[in-house]
Amino acid sequence: MDTHAYPVTRTDAEWRARLTPEQYAVMRNHGTERPGSCALLYEKRAGTFFCVGCDQPLFESKLKFESGTGWPSFNDPVPDSIETTVDRSYGMVRTECHCSRCGSHLGHVFEDGPPPTGLRYCINGVALRFEPAA
């Protein structure tokens, strides 16, 4: 159980009221959406991707790229917006990323991305809200 204190906290009932059942399964129960199922995978406009759980800015669209995995992928997050933990589920060792403000599960980060960082933040689209640039 995660005992880390986050700036934004909600009761389970508040999370369920705020999130759709799919968002709740992904963000609060560390689930994964079906690959290719989220419209944000195809979002190409300039703008910012925010956490659905607390509205924190997470990624700028200029750092989004097509990874071919079926999930929105980014080179680098907005500074200090993402925290990571070791995920040992499903017999694998991966790096889980979650929102630094509310602790919601977002996806995983891998070291197979393009330059300059070499990182691929593989994010569940249902955990994101996109706002186009003005």
Side-chain angles (χ1 to χ4, degrees):
M1 179 173 205
D2 187 1
T3 58
H4 181 76
Y6 294 98
V8 172
T9 59
R10 293 185 169 84
T11 66
D12 188 63
E14 290 169 331
W15 281 117
R16 288 180 185 278
R18 180 178 180 92
L19 304 173
T20 67
E22 184 181 22
Q23 288 169 332
Y24 183 88
V26 167
M27 299 175 75
R28 304 313 301 168
N29 287 330
H30 302 266
T32 302
E33 69 189 2
R34 212 173 67 253
S37 65
C38 181
L40 289 181
L41 177 62
Y42 308 103
E43 182 57 66
K44 307 269 191 234
R45 296 174 291 173
T48 303
F49 293 86
F50 294 83
C51 175
V52 170
C54 69
D55 298 318
Q56 172 168 245
L58 298 173
F59 299 97
E60 296 296 328
S61 62
K62 65 185 174 192
L63 296 176
K64 184 176 185 278
F65 65 94
E66 178 51 56
S67 65
T69 62
W71 290 278
S73 296
F74 303 86
N75 285 92
D76 219 10
V78 169
D80 302 318
S81 66
I82 303 287
E83 292 180 349
T84 60
T85 55
V86 175
D87 176 358
R88 298 183 190 283
S89 63
Y90 303 106
M92 299 180 272
V93 177
R94 300 177 290 173
T95 301
E96 176 191 352
C97 45
H98 53 272
C99 176
S100 66
R101 186 184 289 168
C102 71
S104 290
H105 170 77
L106 302 170
H108 293 85
V109 60
F110 302 95
E111 295 180 352
D112 62 0
T117 66
L119 298 176
R120 173 174 56 94
Y121 286 82
C122 187
I123 306 299
N124 289 286
V126 296
L128 302 173
R129 175 181 60 80
F130 179 72
E131 191 172 299

